[in-house]
Structures are given as C-alpha cells and as structure tokens.
Amino acid sequence: ILNVEQSPQSLHVQEGDSTNFTCSFPSSNFYALHWYRWETAKSPEALFVMTLNGDEKKKGRISATLNTKEGYSYLYIKGSQPEDSATYLCASKALFGNEKLTFGTGTRLTIIP
Amino acid sequence: DADVTQTPRNRITKTGKRIMLECSQTKGHDRMYWYRQDPGLGLRLIYYSFDVKDINKGEISDGYSVSRQAQAKFSLSLESAIPNQTALYFCATSDKSGLANTGELFFGEGSRLTVL
C-alpha cells in the first residue's frame, strides 16, 4: 500500500444498524493514524488519533481499531443514528514525514431513518 | 466563535486574478496548514508552517504562496488564479504531537473558491 485507501466509498445504513469501514495505509515507517468526521458544510473534526499496534479507542457509539503491522484500521459505529451521517476521513502519518498527514478519500455514510 | 476562522467562505473569481484566503486561529497553536479538497481526492497539503515566518511546501505548492507573519494568522495566495485551482480550501492548526497531545488537526470551515 503506497497511499491511504478507504472502503467503501459510500454506504447507506438503516437507522439502528451497526456498520464498519476500513482504512488501509502504508505499514512501513508508520507513526500515527487519524480518523476525522466531516459533516457537510462543517469543519472536519477529529475522532481518534492512534499510534500503537492493537490499539482500540472508543467515543460513545463509535470505536476504532488499529493494526500497524498489516496497515489497516477499522471504524465501527454501533446503533447508527441520523446524526452519524457524514464523511469519515482517515489519514496516516509516517516517521520522517515532516509531519505530513496523507488523507484517504473518505467513506460517505448516510443513515436512512 | 470558531477556533479556526477562514475568510472568505466563498469566492468566485476570474482567471488571472490574485486571490488571498485568510486563516486566523485562537487555539494558540504553533502549527498551521493549508489543504485543498477536490471531489474524489483526499485532502492534499499545499503549505504548512511550524512557527512565525517558517514556511514549508506541501505536496501541491505550485501556483500558491503563503505568509505567516503572526502566530495566529496564515494566509494563502493564488498569484494568478487558474480554473484547475477551483476547489474547497481548508486551513488547519495543530499542536506539536508528542506525549502530551495527539497532534490532531483542528480545521476551519473551508473556503470554496471558483475560478472561471
């Protein structure tokens, strides 16, 4: 993996269902993995910053896991609500990368009431 | 009030015109960034600054310049705008990543620029 890749590109989920999506990133020289939530017409906001292999973070109904050896992170949303509709961005930072974050193209999540 | 403020929020201009996008922050962060968002692409870094008068090129700096004259302000200029610079531009700030903080980015609400 040379770039940060997110899948799926878009997703429609029924309200109340749980869902997850994937971020793949270069595993060599890994330093940190960021997840952001971006609602239309608003600023992207940080959800999680993860650095350690095997790390799991949780914020309410949203959680994320990190596998730095194989270069992937999962974002989980439990019991989706309409306010979860947003684009979810991940970004990775490499060691010796001059603090540069490389962003994926995002997963656009739409919750169907 | 937003911690990171961008002006203007929307701008339509013509090819060849000079445009400046301004960003100011009240978070007290040393680090500031300009990103560009295009449909189907991830956010791409244009320029970044770690301190006053410190300027560093990102991955797509051609056709852009920046100025950091004060800690709280970071402006992006397009000296002679062209249509493929039509995009959504984000300013962001961060604290230095380390044990005490995560290095997460704090974004402004974006400036939508259209070059005709």
Side-chain angles (χ1 to χ4, degrees):
Chain A
I1 301 281
L2 296 178
N3 293 313
V4 177
E5 297 174 1
Q6 292 187 248
S7 62
Q9 278 191 320
S10 66
L11 192 55
H12 289 73
V13 174
Q14 201 70 38
E15 181 178 353
D17 287 352
S18 297
T19 188
N20 65 84
F21 26 92
T22 307
C23 173
S24 301
F25 55 87
S27 56
S28 60
N29 297 316
F30 171 82
Y31 180 73
L33 192 284
H34 294 217
W35 280 102
Y36 292 86
R37 170 195 158 89
W38 181 18
E39 290 182 70
T40 303
K42 294 188 177 180
S43 317
E45 291 184 348
L47 287 171
F48 306 111
V49 177
M50 307 168 78
T51 57
L52 300 175
N53 185 44
D55 205 3
E56 291 188 31
K57 295 212 170 181
K58 188 174 180 182
K59 185 182 288 189
R61 294 177 293 98
I62 304 177
S63 60
T65 61
L66 180 67
N67 182 323
T68 62
K69 294 187 187 307
E70 296 181 44
Y72 64 84
S73 175
Y74 293 134
L75 190 81
Y76 299 90
I77 302 178
K78 187 176 178 182
S80 304
Q81 299 297 308
E83 59 266 29
D84 296 328
S85 293
T87 296
Y88 292 82
L89 303 172
C90 75
S92 77
K93 184 183 288 187
L95 280 170
F96 319 120
N98 294 322
E99 299 288 323
K100 178 181 175 292
L101 271 175
T102 301
F103 280 84
T105 54
T107 293
R108 187 181 186 100
L109 175 66
T110 304
I111 305 302
I112 305 164
Chain B
D1 287 340
D3 292 324
V4 183
T5 304
Q6 293 181 228
T7 55
R9 295 290 310 281
N10 286 283
R11 182 73 184 268
I12 300 173
T13 191
K14 294 183 178 178
T15 297
K17 294 291 188 183
R18 183 177 187 272
I19 292 296
M20 181 181 286
L21 305 181
E22 307 215 36
C23 178
S24 63
Q25 53 119 345
T26 58
K27 297 196 74 68
H29 288 162
D30 287 330
R31 300 180 171 201
M32 297 188 74
Y33 308 81
W34 275 104
Y35 283 91
R36 169 179 171 156
Q37 168 72 50
D38 294 278
L41 297 177
L43 285 163
R44 291 182 293 167
L45 184 63
I46 306 172
Y47 271 98
Y48 62 101
S49 168
F50 284 174
D51 204 347
V52 175
K53 297 192 179 176
D54 174 66
I55 302 294
N56 303 280
K57 290 184 177 181
E59 58 185 308
I60 53 163
S61 58
D62 287 349
Y64 301 95
S65 62
V66 290
S67 174
R68 183 92 185 271
Q69 297 295 321
Q71 189 208 37
K73 296 185 186 295
F74 192 35
S75 60
L76 176 72
S77 294
L78 288 67
E79 296 300 327
S80 179
I82 56 177
N84 76 2
Q85 291 177 313
T86 293
L88 180 60
Y89 291 85
F90 282 105
C91 174
T93 74
S94 76
D95 208 343
K96 182 176 179 180
S97 56
L99 291 177
N101 62 74
T102 63
E104 69 188 74
L105 294 178
F106 294 84
F107 286 90
E109 291 185 326
S111 296
R112 186 166 294 282
L113 176 66
T114 302
V115 184
L116 301 177

